Amino acid sequence: MTLVLGAPGSGKTTLLRALAGKLDSSLKLRGKVMYNAETSSSTPQYLCAYVSQNDLHHPEMTVRETINFASNMLGANNEFEMLGDALQWEMDTSSEVYQDLFSKATKLGKGSNLKTNYIIKILGLSDCADTIVGDELHRGISGGQKKRTTIGEMLVGRARCFFMDDVSTGLDSSTTLEIMTFLQQMAHLMDLTMVISLLQPAPETFELFDDIILLCEGQIVYHGPRQNVIGFFNTIGFTCPSRKNVADFLQEVTSRMDQQQYWTGDERE
Ligand SMILES: Nc1ncnc2c1ncn2[C@@H]1O[C@H](COP(=O)(O)OP(=O)(O)OP(=O)(O)O)[C@@H](O)[C@H]1O
Ligand SMILES: [Mg+2]
């Protein structure tokens, strides 16, 4: 589980979108994105999930319907798996085989209630499972519940790599901690990859992460284990005061205005 930190505009969203293969077509991408030494084009698309900074839902659907729909669409059922694999590996299949699979998949792909119920329970959405999601015009579930619905929507699929952009927007620090603890347990138990960007995480939330990526003006300043990050900045002359929140220190040390106060290195260097 990796935390992406950086000042606003440092390129967190851009990095996550590039890794998830969802980069804006107006931007140029150099280099290759590899998943477990395989290129992204040879990896099935459903294996990676991107959660954007904003929640986009159908306002008239309830939480349960939303997650159910996502589970059907993301191929959480065997029939959809078959269809997806057929599309991925046997592009030369005759159209009849494809149509047969497709009709099977749409007919049989409904009974995924078990998984949906499980996700709703884990994310604490039981109370609002049958409330409509809502938007500006329709009053629906609260902002935090919406965020959890968004996370549930992608957990229900079969993705192994998760890229989450600023999932804490609109959440208080205790809900963020709760969700992050759950994600950390999932990542460790099921061997998943999670790359999550957060704005100003609380110390307890920060402690949950294994690795840190620190961005500054589009460049990676630090990428490595969380435990080593203070030591790394010590060696280049920046000291974190003992009572300072490490996440805040990392954010400030990359900005030109604030970094002076942490400088304890040799002036001649
Ligand atoms: N399609 C684009 N065309 C031009 N510039 C872009 C495009 N996408 C991103 N940028 C620029 O790249 C920089 C990084 O943007 P990005 O959205 O990745 O920042 P961020 O770290 O996610 O910020 P925030 O924390 O506010 O979400 C910004 O200066 C932005 O204006
Ligand atoms: Mg962003």
Side-chain angles (χ1 to χ4, degrees):
M1 184 148 118
T2 303
L3 173 66
V4 182
L5 277 177
S10 57
K12 301 185 293 293
T13 305
T14 312
L15 174 69
L16 290 175
R17 291 190 78 99
L19 292 178
K22 292 189 165 47
L23 204 61
D24 199 298
S25 53
S26 68
L27 298 177
K28 254 189 244 163
L29 177 75
R30 265 190 296 140
K32 255 191 267 174
V33 179
M34 312 280 272
Y35 302 101
N36 269 349
E38 288 202 34
T39 55
S40 49
S41 53
S42 68
T43 313
Q45 219 175 17
Y46 57 73
L47 285 182
C48 82
Y50 172 75
V51 184
S52 83
Q53 216 158 344
N54 317 307
D55 309 280
L56 277 178
H57 295 291
H58 288 285
E60 283 94 5
M61 280 163 81
T62 67
V63 172
R64 192 188 302 280
E65 281 165 358
T66 304
I67 295 181
N68 235 339
F69 182 71
S71 117
N72 289 346
M73 279 296 140
L74 288 172
N77 304 336
N78 286 336
E79 291 72 32
F80 276 81
E81 211 166 300
M82 272 159 59
L83 179 66
D85 290 347
L87 286 178
Q88 186 65 39
W89 304 115
E90 293 168 60
M91 295 305 270
D92 56 341
T93 338
S94 65
S95 61
E96 274 166 43
V97 178
Y98 164 72
Q99 275 169 6
D100 182 42
L101 266 176
F102 188 74
S103 68
K104 251 192 205 159
T106 43
K107 256 185 245 154
L108 299 173
K110 281 180 183 158
S112 65
N113 275 325
L114 193 71
K115 201 165 184 185
T116 309
N117 288 341
Y118 182 62
I119 293 278
I120 286 178
K121 208 163 175 184
I122 292 181
L123 289 173
L125 290 169
S126 307
D127 291 340
C128 60
D130 296 307
T131 313
I132 61 160
V133 174
D135 59 4
E136 289 82 3
L137 298 178
H138 308 71
R139 185 73 191 111
I141 57 176
S142 79
Q145 290 167 338
K146 210 177 265 182
K147 201 86 236 180
R148 278 181 273 167
T149 308
T150 313
I151 295 176
E153 252 182 324
M154 48 146 240
L155 287 183
V156 89
R158 291 179 300 150
R160 311 282 302 163
C161 299
F162 295 92
F163 304 100
M164 296 187 217
D165 196 3
D166 248 337
V167 280
S168 63
T169 314
L171 296 182
D172 64 332
S173 54
S174 85
T175 315
T176 308
L177 177 64
E178 207 177 295
I179 293 180
M180 288 303 143
T181 311
F182 166 64
L183 292 179
Q184 188 221 25
Q185 286 165 353
M186 271 205 30
H188 287 177
L189 284 175
M190 293 164 68
D191 241 349
L192 306 176
T193 303
M194 299 218 179
V195 187
I196 303 173
S197 88
L198 291 177
L199 200 66
Q200 297 191 313
E204 306 84 44
T205 313
F206 184 76
E207 301 275 299
L208 292 173
F209 288 87
D210 305 305
D211 283 353
I212 306 284
I213 294 180
L214 185 60
L215 283 173
C216 177
E217 293 173 9
Q219 304 284 331
I220 290 182
V221 180
Y222 176 84
H223 180 194
R226 173 175 53 79
Q227 287 92 342
N228 302 353
V229 67
I230 294 287
F232 170 76
F233 279 98
N234 272 337
T235 58
I236 57 169
F238 292 101
T239 317
C240 177
S242 57
R243 275 182 295 157
K244 181 88 185 167
N245 180 354
V246 180
D248 287 347
F249 165 72
L250 293 178
Q251 210 119 354
E252 284 169 24
V253 86
T254 52
S255 95
R256 278 178 217 281
M257 276 199 315
D258 296 322
Q259 65 184 195
Q260 189 66 43
Q261 54 179 310
Y262 301 113
W263 177 250
T264 52
D266 194 336
E267 283 303 325
R268 285 164 297 160
E269 281 177 38

